Amino acid sequence: FPSQTGFEWKFKATPLDSANIPNPSLSVYRIDKFESVANYEGKLANIVPTKTGPLQTILLQPFLDSLFYATEGTNGFEYFSIRNIEPFLIALDTSGFISNFSFLDFFTSLQDWYSTYRFTSNVNTEYTLLQRDTTITIGTINAYLRFKYVAKRLQDQTIQTVLGSYNCKKFLLQWKILYYLIPPPFPGIELFSTKDSIWIAPGNWIVQDIIPANNVDLTILGIPAFTVPGLETKLTDEIVVSIANEEPIPNAFSLQQNYPNPFNPSTNIGFKIADRGFVSLKVFDILGNEVATLVNGELQAGVYEVEFN
């Protein structure tokens, strides 16, 4: 995990259709920021506020949600929330075929810390993070279901991103639902499983996350088959607003005076870079304490402006 607060991740999240083909016209952008370290639900947590929105407004939006990570020994812990699978749970609940059971409520009750990333585990060896059995009634049928949250460490992989090359630890996370004609320990039928591939780079934490589309066939329970779209989340260098695309490439670096000045509540900061390279733009208070990171990534040569609110 990054060692210093203020570290920012900027992502582009693109939906995948049923054939796992990206649809860039529906892409949204996400900014995560390592804000602080504090106790959360029994662990010393790295607290990461997060926000998602269109490119045109993402810099202006407030942070309305947070992610929580912790490390102990060789394990990386993640506080499980339903944000990644919420659309799927809502789709199940609104199908109308199961009136006496809420998948959304059930999974919400499972929110807790899990040792999701076991960095020294054997490659391709699955480990169980959670297992819970329950019964639901569909018409006159009592369906015995087992929910499992499992993970495995995959072979390390080097990936290329817009910000450069990363040597990553790779993990596969899966939610599985198994159906039992006779309650466990008798063998069950796997109805479906989600697949979430995560790439983690030293000092950068998660740099890529791909969830393929899921074609779900629950006809055995009397529920018509349906598809949950996938999501491809990758690092981006697009979250910087250019104010002078028509200007020629600058021949030198320069940082402009912010305007307006004085300001309340926001001001604009312009800068020019002559060559493609890593750019970091930070704001410090009068005592030298860092209060904001506005830019932290690879940029093309050009003229830029960002807002500090």
Side-chain angles (χ1 to χ4, degrees), residues 148-280:
K148 294 184 71 175
Y149 185 31
V150 300
K152 67 173 67 172
R153 181 184 154 216
L154 304 179
Q155 189 67 44
D156 294 354
Q157 185 177 6
T158 299
I159 62 171
Q160 297 293 327
T161 75
V162 295
L163 301 183
S165 175
Y166 292 96
N167 298 317
C168 299
K169 298 290 185 183
K170 184 179 179 182
F171 290 85
L172 177 65
L173 312 181
Q174 294 181 274
W175 278 102
K176 298 182 178 182
I177 295 184
L178 294 93
Y179 170 63
Y180 292 82
L181 295 171
I182 302 174
F186 294 94
I189 302 168
E190 184 174 297
L191 297 180
F192 74 93
S193 66
T194 63
K195 295 179 175 64
D196 186 357
S197 296
I198 305 282
W199 287 259
I200 299 180
N204 291 272
W205 199 238
I206 295 173
V207 294
Q208 186 168 277
D209 183 350
I210 297 179
I211 306 172
N214 199 346
N215 300 308
V216 182
D217 185 359
L218 300 181
T219 52
I220 192 173
L221 299 179
I223 300 174
F226 60 93
T227 299
V228 180
L231 190 65
E232 176 183 86
T233 303
K234 295 185 176 183
L235 293 172
T236 183
D237 58 0
E238 297 178 53
I239 307 180
V240 176
V241 180
S242 173
I243 59 170
N245 290 330
E246 72 282 359
E247 292 190 15
I249 299 298
N251 56 18
F253 162 81
S254 65
L255 178 64
Q256 312 301 316
Q257 174 65 52
N258 65 298
Y259 71 92
N261 185 18
F263 64 92
N264 183 16
S266 63
T267 188
N268 299 294
I269 303 172
F271 61 94
K272 301 178 181 181
I273 54 175
D275 301 293
R276 177 185 174 94
F278 184 85
V279 176
S280 177

Side-chain angles (χ1 to χ4, degrees), residues 21-307:
I21 298 173
N23 188 345
S25 66
L26 298 179
S27 293
V28 294
Y29 293 81
R30 186 177 116 202
I31 298 178
D32 297 351
K33 181 176 182 180
F34 181 18
E35 184 69 31
S36 60
V37 179
N39 287 312
Y40 181 77
E41 297 293 336
K43 287 191 181 295
L44 187 63
N46 299 310
I47 301 175
V48 180
T50 182
K51 57 181 176 179
T52 302
L55 181 61
Q56 295 84 351
T57 63
I58 186 67
L59 290 172
L60 306 178
Q61 295 173 211
F63 289 96
L64 297 177
D65 198 1
S66 291
L67 308 172
F68 302 91
Y69 304 104
T71 54
E72 294 179 3
T74 58
N75 291 340
F77 286 77
E78 186 171 38
Y79 189 83
F80 165 69
S81 72
I82 61 172
R83 66 190 300 267
N84 278 346
I85 60 172
E86 188 171 6
F88 172 70
L89 301 177
I90 293 173
L92 283 177
D93 285 343
T94 56
S95 65
F97 287 90
I98 306 175
S99 59
N100 66 332
F101 184 84
S102 170
F103 285 92
L104 185 63
D105 291 344
F106 178 77
F107 276 87
T108 298
S109 71
L110 304 180
Q111 295 183 134
D112 201 352
W113 285 105
Y114 297 99
S115 56
T116 311
Y117 308 112
R118 302 181 184 180
F119 293 104
T120 57
S121 63
N122 293 328
V123 172
N124 293 322
T125 299
E126 184 175 282
Y127 48 91
T128 299
L129 300 168
L130 175 145
Q131 180 173 295
R132 188 75 59 86
D133 295 340
T134 190
T135 303
I136 64 174
T137 302
I138 305 172
T140 59
I141 301 173
N142 287 327
Y144 301 93
L145 300 182
R146 169 167 290 177
F147 295 85
K148 294 184 71 175
Y149 185 31
V150 300
K152 67 173 67 172
R153 181 184 154 216
L154 304 179
Q155 189 67 44
D156 294 354
Q157 185 177 6
T158 299
I159 62 171
Q160 297 293 327
T161 75
V162 295
L163 301 183
S165 175
Y166 292 96
N167 298 317
C168 299
K169 298 290 185 183
K170 184 179 179 182
F171 290 85
L172 177 65
L173 312 181
Q174 294 181 274
W175 278 102
K176 298 182 178 182
I177 295 184
L178 294 93
Y179 170 63
Y180 292 82
L181 295 171
I182 302 174
F186 294 94
I189 302 168
E190 184 174 297
L191 297 180
F192 74 93
S193 66
T194 63
K195 295 179 175 64
D196 186 357
S197 296
I198 305 282
W199 287 259
I200 299 180
N204 291 272
W205 199 238
I206 295 173
V207 294
Q208 186 168 277
D209 183 350
I210 297 179
I211 306 172
N214 199 346
N215 300 308
V216 182
D217 185 359
L218 300 181
T219 52
I220 192 173
L221 299 179
I223 300 174
F226 60 93
T227 299
V228 180
L231 190 65
E232 176 183 86
T233 303
K234 295 185 176 183
L235 293 172
T236 183
D237 58 0
E238 297 178 53
I239 307 180
V240 176
V241 180
S242 173
I243 59 170
N245 290 330
E246 72 282 359
E247 292 190 15
I249 299 298
N251 56 18
F253 162 81
S254 65
L255 178 64
Q256 312 301 316
Q257 174 65 52
N258 65 298
Y259 71 92
N261 185 18
F263 64 92
N264 183 16
S266 63
T267 188
N268 299 294
I269 303 172
F271 61 94
K272 301 178 181 181
I273 54 175
D275 301 293
R276 177 185 174 94
F278 184 85
V279 176
S280 177
L281 176 61
K282 299 183 179 184
V283 179
F284 295 81
D285 66 17
I286 197 169
L287 299 178
N289 300 308
E290 182 182 328
V291 296
T293 299
L294 305 181
V295 179
N296 191 59
E298 196 87 11
L299 295 181
Q300 298 284 356
V303 181
Y304 298 89
E305 180 182 83
V306 293
E307 182 187 57

